[in-house]
């Protein structure tokens, strides 16, 4: 295995690679869990992120240990970056809406005018071809340019913030495709949302701004060097995802809460404040731009776009007698929401099978869903009968152009088609129509039912296709239909108006599907601008979440599991308490000496894929064999690249580090790291030595091998580690027994090593934080 | 030191206490930081809380490892407890308001009628005597019954949630005094608030409900046994404090955010949800009760009380031109807020000197502040000239009775005294008057200035006296005055109405003093019920917090420091990176053997005050001297109390544990724990042995002695530890070097051990999370 050394005089320090460097573990099975994931229907390798503060003599990563001018640079840059993120996300969010409103608007205007001339078939064809072309474009750019841009992006960003780095999810290309693809997909009347893609867009913008353009073109700023690490990137991406929600819904506080409730795995007070600042910038940018638009300079953007449904009624009166209706709404909403998740998951599996067959199949799938959607949207309104315009309509009736509550469609003058007002509109306008007050008689209950059922299934069918697609808006629109329908049924039992029922219906379906509480509540309040709804909203969200949690998990968690991200949960599973760390640690373990021969390092790097190696000091350097610390693969590669070699194995101390600058060890954007294969070393180099001490993290976290696995997980998760060293309990040959990584804590891995646990009652009794038995999960673990 | 054993045959297992049990540390200085704090102006000892999951064979603390019926009990009980907390806090919050409105109302009605009869001196005397009597009562019950109830209580609860247990802060007595004392203090027109006391009240209610009544009277429920630990208590108290804010301001979402932004040191998604549920219950309870009151069955409660200032104007129009005015408001508000904190801190120190002199002095201080306040409130309005009632006044003018915008005071009929409308009212009414729209000409700018300056200083002078007193409402009222005054000055530069200026002024002063962002924003939005204010509110809060952070810290942190709570910050100070764990660990360390002689245990417990002891296995039980785990003092005392002794030192295994039930080890409410002095042991008992293994936490967290102190702090803080074991790097006589506790991470302790660091630049460069140099702190560290 090792290259043989041939000089006798270095023999006493040359490690006996065969015997010592591979510390033998009791169990030498290797970690069998998948280290790849399906991101954007492409299989890609997964790495963990380094959130641990690395402390070695040469370079203290933490900004707190820098001098004053550097601290000033760091802090002012960080605020500046948050400001820029806010500006850009605000601009992109506005541009998104503007584009969607105009593209979809032109489509609806053209078809509406054709309808007016009774050229129905022609209108249908134009409508369908427009949608088809838009989806074709969107799916082609997604498939060929950035497959990682498909889907909502929220699961990917959530996994990233948990420490899972799937390459490509935060690249320039993904950003571009996400923006353009989302605009075209939403404009094509596919039942997909723009909120999820906005979150991903926000995260991409944050990551790219933090990276500061590309090094290749000399665009990077020197001050940005402080942000070339995963911790600061995580902070920025948290801000970016909050800004995304803020821009999508014009809900700055909701955005902050969403980022902290759903997205972030680690949160701190300072970060909360920074996120708040970012979303405040977004809110101000949006307000300024909307001011421009109210002057009528944004084409068809007018009233539509940037959803904000003002349901302020002078008098939101509700009484104890309304509570049963609201409870019923919550319970059914919870069941529908969890069933939504269940169906979506099934559909995604089928779609994955189709998508795996090749690019053509992916695009074909997207296009056929588009055609199906077009048919539904255009043909179903014919089922509804025309209704006469109300005498006291607050707005034009029937409407012919763009938005509006009363769509003419095929109806004679003075009449409107209530189903077309919902279907033959953008989702935003449909939501606005459903949420609006004083429209209790506008819709027939059959129309609402048809709309609800169609949206429910179209939403499920549309999500998995290879275009950027969010889940928020489809769920809101479906929920609004559902709420109005229930409201109509409950008419006799409640005094609430149907617009409020629609709002509460959206809340219940969102609660049943997304399972957030505070953030959904605030987002919906900001959307509807009515704080008096608060107690009812809270009630509905609590009920629907509780009900839905009895059946399955949060939709984003389900998708994350389907994609295979090794997401670390906060809590340990019960069976982890039965195990100790040494029960799961797998080998063989590769260790390095404090002063190591180059050939050995190269060999270790070439033969293993590990990202961290324990560094040992052995006699004669120390009295005993001691654990000095942990060195990262990326840092070893930098050392090899710079050729900071020594002819003889003597400690060099800090001087050797003089030829390095901190920038050399900066972590680059994901997918950009150097590989060992790219480094060329001569035979002479191979025989030389490297003093690893100055570059080794001398304070790695350790656990004793008898530590309970559950408690090791708590340490690993709370501190945000990538590697956790396992040390022996008593005197031992080697001062380190193994390394735990994220994959070692995955239930699949643990249950693979200890199949008996699968049958034990501990396994079946897996409770979620929501406290109810989770039956579905067991079937998903091997996905 | 040790009692001599006299049997030869047990000598080989009898520990040589003198040589081994006290592992000698390199440094044997003891921890010099104060282990006591001033809580409610009484010095009391401080303990840490046990948040670590204790895993030993006998008893797994985590609910996830219990069987199904127990899990069901646990979960249903936890939700039930949250429900009860919500109900009780809602009721208490309502009762509080009802009582204040009625007591203060009667006082104002009586004096107003006297004024109407021109009996001014008499009115003043009645007013003063009422206030005096109320304060006297409040200060007497606070001083003699529960000194811990003095002040706001937020710092105490915040410290508790960080793991600092100051006895008495969550007792039944404190709860009682807090409620009654707060009602009387607020009714007495002292410039104190009710929000802080409500938070403390909520926390007390949560702690007491979790304890389930007293064991003495058999009131405790068997199902509550799962909650007899610090982790569950922490969760409940977080819910309780959120419920407190929700009840005080009728702001359920704001309450949740307050609990998570300001109070909680550890937060989890599940807890967020539970807190949300609790505040939803509070909101519903309050709504139901207010419905009762609108029927006029609550005495003088009518419009006043339960602050909710509806500033909804049809048209909150603001433009770019308003931004400079808002920025100015924010900047000055930040300066005023930090100056408020600075002055408050100085005043508190002076008050502490007075309060230390004895009970009489405390009460005297409270009474003199009350007299001073009465003089200000009654005499200052005479400075204002009477203003004629506006012709189009929306309400009665002048008002004589209780609340109202136009107080008659000494004015002739048809006139009102604008200053009296502010001073001669409860704080809630003053805020409502200042926030109200369409009242731009109601107040003279000199009146507003006098009001603002008086409130500013009265707020500072009133806080430290020995009555329950909050800071929120005084700061809001002062800020409202300040905002209106700035609005009047800026009249020509801005189109915002003065009511909005008042709201923004409150936000800026709150931001400058409390330094919260998201939670303040949401609380203020819920108070004013106007979401359109959001962007301006965010801007003002950001600016004022940023400005204020350059000067000093959050007011609650300053008070916590003054009180001497060892609050653990999330981040490490820069100089901690220069130190290793072994630089701060202090001795002597007491260790126990796995099978230990009773007399040794008693000796160790009697001679030390430590709360955790490492348990070692030594030959012949094991091959080497090994660290088995950590045992808590409270568990040792239970073992001694139950006399689970062995005649000979042989391992007993799990059988010995049969005589214990998990309840025996349940942690009781603070201050209720058994003491070693209370346990009576015979001479025979003393010579027997205890097998500690089944009761020892076998998975304690450890760090190597060369670990950087900063990283050890991160582990300690993130995982929420009470004891962190330090193990030697290489082979050593003892497998454990020391124990780190909360006090070892306190800057005072570290700087005491390493005075050179005080002078180093690291010390001076202490940055807060807010990123700006903190100059003031250095002077406070030795307090």
């Amino acid at each position: 295995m090792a290259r043989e050394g041939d000089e006798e005089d270095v023999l006493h320090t040359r490690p006996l690679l065969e015997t010592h460097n591979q510390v033998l573990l009791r169990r030498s099975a290797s970690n069998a869990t998948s280290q790849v994931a399906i991101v954007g229907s492409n299989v890609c390798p997964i790495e963990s992120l380094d959130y641990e503060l690395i402390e070695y003599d040469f370079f203290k990563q933490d900004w707190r240990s820098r001098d004053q001018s550097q601290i000033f640079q760091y802090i002012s840059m960080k605020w500046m970056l948050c400001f820029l993120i806010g500006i850009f996300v605000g601009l992109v969010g506005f541009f998104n809406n503007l584009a969607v409103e105009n593209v979809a608007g032109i489509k609806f205007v053209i078809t509406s005018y054709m309808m007016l001339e009774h050229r129905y078939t022609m209108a249908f064809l134009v409508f369908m071809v427009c949608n088809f072309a838009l989806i074709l474009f969107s799916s082609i750019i997604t498939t060929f340019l950035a497959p990682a841009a498909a889907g909502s992006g929220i699961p990917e960003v959530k996994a990233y913030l948990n420490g899972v780095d799937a390459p490509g999810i935060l690249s320039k290309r993904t950003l571009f495709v996400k923006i353009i693809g989302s605009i075209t997909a939403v404009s094509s009347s596919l039942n997909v949302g723009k909120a999820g893609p906005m979150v991903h867009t926000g995260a991409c913008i944050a990551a790219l701004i933090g990276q500061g353009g590309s090094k290749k073109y000399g665009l990077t700023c020197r001050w940005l060097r402080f942000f070339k690490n995963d911790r600061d990137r995580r902070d920025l991406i948290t801000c970016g995802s909050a800004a995304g929600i803020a821009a999508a819904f014009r809900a700055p506080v909701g955005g902050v809460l969403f980022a902290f409730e759903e997205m972030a795995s680690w949160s701190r007070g300072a970060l909360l404040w920074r996120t708040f600042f970012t979303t405040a910038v977004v809110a101000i940018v949006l307000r300024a731009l909307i001011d421009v638009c109210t002057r009528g300079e944004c084409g068809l953007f007018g009233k539509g776009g940037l959803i904000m449904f003002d349901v302020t009624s002078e008098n939101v009166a509700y009484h104890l007698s309304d509570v049963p209706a609201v409870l019923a709404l919550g319970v059914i909403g919870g069941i529908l929401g969890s069933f939504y998740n269940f169906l979506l998951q099934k559909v995604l599996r089928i779609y994955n099978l189709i998508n795996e067959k090749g690019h053509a199949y992916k695009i074909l799938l997207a296009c056929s869903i588009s055609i199906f959607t077009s048919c539904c949207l255009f043909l179903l309104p014919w089922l509804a009968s025309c209704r006469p315009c109300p005498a006291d309509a607050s707005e034009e009736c029937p409407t012919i152009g763009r938005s509006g509550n009363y769509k003419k469609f095929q109806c004679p003058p003075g009449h409107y088609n209530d189903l077309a007002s919902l279907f033959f509109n953008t989702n935003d306008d449909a939501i606005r129509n459903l949420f609006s007050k004083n429209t209790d008689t506008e819709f027939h209950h059959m129309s609402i039912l048809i709309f609800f059922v169609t949206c429910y299934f179209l939403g499920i069918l549309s999500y998995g296709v290879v275009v950027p697609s969010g889940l928020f808006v489809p769920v809101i629109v479906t929920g609004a239909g559902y709420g109005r329908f229930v409201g109509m049924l409950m008419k006799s039992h409640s005094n609430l108006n149907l617009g409020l029922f629609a709002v509460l219906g959206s809340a219940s379906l969102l609660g049943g599907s997304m399972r957030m509480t505070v953030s959904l509540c605030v987002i919906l309040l900001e959307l509807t601008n009515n704080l008096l709804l608060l107690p009812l909203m809270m009630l509905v969200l609590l009920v629907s979440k509780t009900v839905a949690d009895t059946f399955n998990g949060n939709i984003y968690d389900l998708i994350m599991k389907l994609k295979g991200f090794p997401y670390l949960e906060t809590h340990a599973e019960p069976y982890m308490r039965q195990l100790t760390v040494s029960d799961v640690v797998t080998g063989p373990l590769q260790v390095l000496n404090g002063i190591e021969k180059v050939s050995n390092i190269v060999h270790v790097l070439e033969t293993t894929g590990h990202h961290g190696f324990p560094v040992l000091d052995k006699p004669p350097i120390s009295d005993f064999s001691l654990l000095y610390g942990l060195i990262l693969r990326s840092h070893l590669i930098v050392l090899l690249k710079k050729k900071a070699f020594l002819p003889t194995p003597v400690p060099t101390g800090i001087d050797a580090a003089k030829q390095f600058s901190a920038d050399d060890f900066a972590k680059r954007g994901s997918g950009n790291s150097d590989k060992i294969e790219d480094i060329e070393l001569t035979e002479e180099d191979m025989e030389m030595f490297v003093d690893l001490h100055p570059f080794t993290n001398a304070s790695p976290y350790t656990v004793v091998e008898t530590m309970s696995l559950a408690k090791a997980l708590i340490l690993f998760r709370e501190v945000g580690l990538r590697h956790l060293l396992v040390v022996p309990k008593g005197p031992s040959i080697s001062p380190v027994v193994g390394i735990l990584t994220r994959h070692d804590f995955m239930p699949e891995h643990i249950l693979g090593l200890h199949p008996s646990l699968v049958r034990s009652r501990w396994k079946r009794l897996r409770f979620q934080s929501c406290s109810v038995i989770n039956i579905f999960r067991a079937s998903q673990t091997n996905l």
Side-chain angles (χ1 to χ4, degrees), chain A:
Chain A
M1 249 173 120
R3 283 150 222 215
E4 279 296 313
D6 45 9
E7 285 160 294
E8 196 62 31
D9 54 354
V10 294
L11 195 70
H12 64 283
T13 55
R14 196 171 64 80
L16 299 167
L17 198 70
E18 289 78 9
T19 57
H20 283 304
N21 272 23
Q22 285 202 5
V23 174
L24 290 174
L25 300 176
R26 255 146 296 176
R27 185 185 311 279
S28 68
S30 67
N31 193 325
T33 55
S34 165
Q35 316 251 341
V36 297
I38 305 160
V39 181
S41 44
N42 256 19
V43 167
C44 65
I46 283 178
E47 277 189 29
S48 288
L49 296 168
D50 301 292
Y51 291 145
E52 192 184 344
L53 278 175
I54 293 184
E55 303 209 316
Y56 43 83
D57 302 333
F58 162 61
F59 175 49
K60 305 257 181 212
Q61 273 193 326
D62 188 34
W63 62 269
R64 284 176 213 278
S65 32
R66 298 197 189 112
D67 72 29
Q68 209 162 352
S69 73
Q70 284 185 313
I71 292 174
F72 174 75
Q73 282 182 11
Y74 172 86
I75 288 165
S76 53
M77 270 315 280
K78 201 155 182 180
W79 283 105
M80 178 52 84
L81 290 177
C82 286
F83 181 74
L84 288 176
I85 292 168
I87 296 277
F88 281 110
V89 175
L91 287 175
V92 169
F94 182 75
F95 170 72
N96 247 350
N97 274 286
L98 194 68
V100 167
E101 291 295 311
N102 277 294
V103 174
I106 289 170
K107 188 182 71 185
F108 283 119
V109 168
I110 292 174
T111 43
S112 288
Y113 277 102
M114 285 179 172
M115 301 280 292
L116 206 63
E117 297 163 14
H118 302 287
R119 292 158 60 196
Y120 299 126
T121 326
M122 192 58 199
F124 176 55
L125 282 178
V126 168
F127 183 69
M128 199 174 70
V129 169
C130 275
N131 292 344
F132 184 84
L134 287 167
I135 277 296
L136 189 67
F137 175 74
S138 181
S139 60
I140 285 177
I141 58 170
T142 311
T143 309
F144 293 104
L145 284 181
S152 126
I154 290 180
E156 282 86 350
V157 177
K158 187 175 175 183
Y160 184 92
L161 292 177
N162 189 261
V164 179
D165 188 14
I169 60 161
L170 297 172
S171 67
K172 266 168 284 194
R173 232 189 235 184
T174 307
L175 174 62
F176 172 77
V177 171
K178 201 93 199 181
I179 296 174
I180 304 297
S182 167
I183 291 171
T184 45
V186 174
S187 305
S188 82
S189 294
L190 204 65
N191 196 11
V192 295
K194 52 195 174 176
M198 265 315 292
V199 172
H200 194 171
T201 304
C204 281
I205 289 176
L208 293 172
I209 286 181
Q211 242 152 276
S214 89
K215 217 174 187 175
K216 206 159 51 178
Y217 306 107
L219 287 172
T220 188
C221 164
R222 240 190 80 72
W223 284 24
L224 281 176
R225 69 183 184 281
F226 300 123
F227 298 94
K228 308 268 183 201
N229 64 69
D230 288 329
R231 273 182 319 289
D232 286 313
R233 221 165 266 157
R234 174 181 70 187
D235 289 357
L236 292 177
I237 288 171
T238 308
C239 290
S241 56
I245 285 284
F249 291 126
R250 246 172 93 186
V253 177
V256 174
L257 295 179
F258 175 80
F260 279 78
E261 184 175 358
E262 181 63 27
M263 305 297 282
S265 292
W266 292 277
S267 57
R268 294 169 299 110
L271 183 58
L272 186 76
W273 189 33
R274 230 182 281 276
T275 316
F276 188 73
F277 171 72
T278 316
T279 60
V281 173
V282 172
I284 290 165
V285 167
L286 287 181
R287 222 200 131 77
L289 290 172
I290 288 168
D291 267 0
V292 172
C293 275
T294 45
R295 285 184 232 136
E297 291 163 17
C298 304
L300 294 168
F301 184 80
K303 234 184 79 184
L306 274 182
I307 30 178
M308 177 105 178
F309 315 108
D310 216 329
V311 293
T312 317
S313 54
E314 311 70 57
N315 171 23
V316 188
Y318 44 91
H319 304 282
L320 223 58
S321 59
D322 297 324
V323 170
V326 171
L327 285 180
L329 200 70
V331 172
I332 307 173
I335 295 170
L336 286 174
S338 64
F339 192 61
Y340 194 92
N341 292 4
F342 175 76
L343 287 182
L344 187 64
Q345 197 191 346
K346 294 282 171 215
V347 168
L348 282 180
R349 286 194 201 191
I350 297 168
Y351 280 10
N352 271 347
L353 293 179
I354 298 171
N355 287 340
E356 271 170 16
K357 293 197 176 169
H359 291 332
Y361 285 86
K362 287 186 200 176
I363 296 167
L364 210 63
L365 178 67
C367 291
S368 41
I369 297 292
S370 168
I371 292 172
F372 179 68
T373 306
S374 299
C375 293
C376 286
L377 299 190
F378 197 90
L379 301 180
L380 285 174
W382 296 86
L383 294 179
S385 53
C386 291
R387 295 162 73 90
C389 282
D392 56 344
S394 53
E395 52 179 300
E396 201 192 345
C397 173
T399 354
I400 290 145
R402 187 46 209 84
S403 53
N405 269 2
Y406 305 99
K407 278 260 173 179
K408 190 171 172 294
F409 212 64
Q410 93 289 16
C411 290
H415 286 69
Y416 69 97
N417 183 325
D418 60 346
L419 202 46
S421 299
L422 300 174
F423 273 135
F424 207 60
N425 239 334
T426 56
N427 274 339
D428 286 12
D429 285 320
I431 297 173
R432 193 170 293 110
N433 289 347
L434 288 168
F435 279 9
S436 58
K437 60 188 166 181
N438 302 331
T439 51
D440 288 8
T441 54
E442 186 186 331
F443 301 101
H444 191 260
H445 65 266
M446 276 310 292
S447 301
I448 296 281
L449 183 63
I450 293 173
F451 178 72
F452 159 60
V453 173
T454 316
C455 276
Y456 192 85
F457 291 103
L458 278 184
I460 291 166
L461 289 176
S462 307
Y463 179 75
V465 304
V466 62
V467 294
S469 54
L471 279 167
F472 257 103
V473 176
V475 172
I476 293 178
V477 73
T478 311
Y482 152 71
R484 242 181 200 252
F485 184 69
V486 173
M488 285 168 169
L489 295 183
M490 296 267 183
K491 200 74 203 149
S492 55
H493 303 291
S494 163
N495 299 313
L496 296 180
N497 83 55
L498 293 183
L500 291 187
F501 261 109
V503 173
L504 295 176
S506 292
S508 74
L509 210 58
L510 281 172
S513 163
M514 318 247 161
R515 314 288 164 83
M516 289 169 267
T517 49
V518 190
S519 50
L520 277 182
C521 187
V522 173
I523 289 174
L524 282 168
L525 289 177
E526 289 187 281
L527 274 181
T528 57
N529 194 29
N530 194 334
L531 270 167
L532 295 171
L533 277 180
L534 187 62
L536 289 186
M537 191 87 84
M538 290 176 95
L539 191 66
V540 140
L541 281 171
L542 281 168
V543 171
S544 68
K545 179 174 154 71
T546 313
V547 170
D549 274 340
T550 47
F551 297 112
N552 52 18
N554 175 336
I555 193 151
Y556 296 122
D557 290 345
L558 294 178
I559 297 174
M560 260 195 315
K561 238 184 179 34
L562 273 172
K563 295 213 166 196
F565 292 126
Y567 187 85
L568 265 190
E569 298 286 345
T570 333
H571 59 82
E573 299 290 340
Y575 54 80
M576 291 185 187
R577 314 215 165 273
Q578 321 287 83
L579 299 172
T580 64
V581 161
S582 58
D583 290 329
V584 300
V585 84
T586 49
L589 177 68
Q590 294 285 0
V591 299
L592 297 172
N593 284 315
I595 298 174
E596 186 58 277
K597 202 173 170 189
V598 173
S599 61
N600 288 342
I601 296 176
V602 171
H603 175 75
V604 166
L605 290 181
E606 277 174 353
T607 52
T608 69
H610 303 322
H611 289 276
F613 302 93
V615 174
L616 304 190
D617 275 339
K618 289 180 188 166
I621 288 180
S622 64
D623 298 337
F624 316 97
S625 183
L626 288 178
L627 173 66
Y628 182 76
L630 184 84
I631 193 159
L632 295 182
R633 166 181 281 261
S634 56
H635 293 187
L636 283 175
I637 288 178
V638 172
L639 292 180
L640 293 180
K641 213 173 159 193
K642 280 264 180 172
K643 306 204 175 178
F645 301 148
L646 308 168
T648 51
V650 288
T652 50
I654 199 73
D655 291 342
K658 287 251 171 79
Q659 53 184 299
F660 292 92
S661 82
D663 293 352
D664 294 326
F665 294 97
K667 176 144 180 183
R668 295 207 241 145
S670 75
N672 284 336
S673 51
D674 286 313
K675 290 193 177 46
I676 179 70
E677 292 79 24
D678 304 336
I679 294 171
E680 288 189 14
L681 294 168
T682 60
E683 274 299 314
E684 256 172 61
D685 288 339
M686 284 297 208
E687 293 305 319
M688 292 174 84
F689 294 85
V690 190
D691 184 0
L692 299 179
H693 291 106
F695 311 101
T696 301
N697 177 5
S699 294
Y701 289 99
T702 55
V703 287
V704 180
E705 56 183 336
T706 52
M707 179 74 143
S708 130
L709 186 64
K711 293 185 78 174
L713 171 62
I714 291 172
L715 166 61
F716 195 88
R717 175 64 173 70
E718 295 297 330
V719 181
L721 297 179
R722 181 174 185 178
H723 303 104
L724 179 58
L725 291 176
V726 181
V727 297
K729 192 172 181 84
S732 153
I733 315 165
S734 165
V736 58
V737 174
I739 292 189
L740 289 173
T741 63
R742 172 180 295 270
H743 289 282
D744 295 313
F745 291 105
M746 290 296 120
E748 300 90 279
H749 171 59
I750 297 168
L751 296 175
L753 288 177
H754 302 276
S756 61
L757 292 170
V758 181
R759 288 188 305 277
S760 84
R761 68 198 176 99
W762 301 113
K763 167 66 186 163
R764 263 177 292 114
L765 274 180
R766 286 166 68 196
F767 272 62
Q768 282 192 292
S769 60
C770 56
S771 78
V772 203
I773 301 175
N774 184 337
I775 303 154
F776 287 3
R777 273 236 199 132
S779 62
Q780 302 157 16
T781 44
N782 293 326
L783 208 99

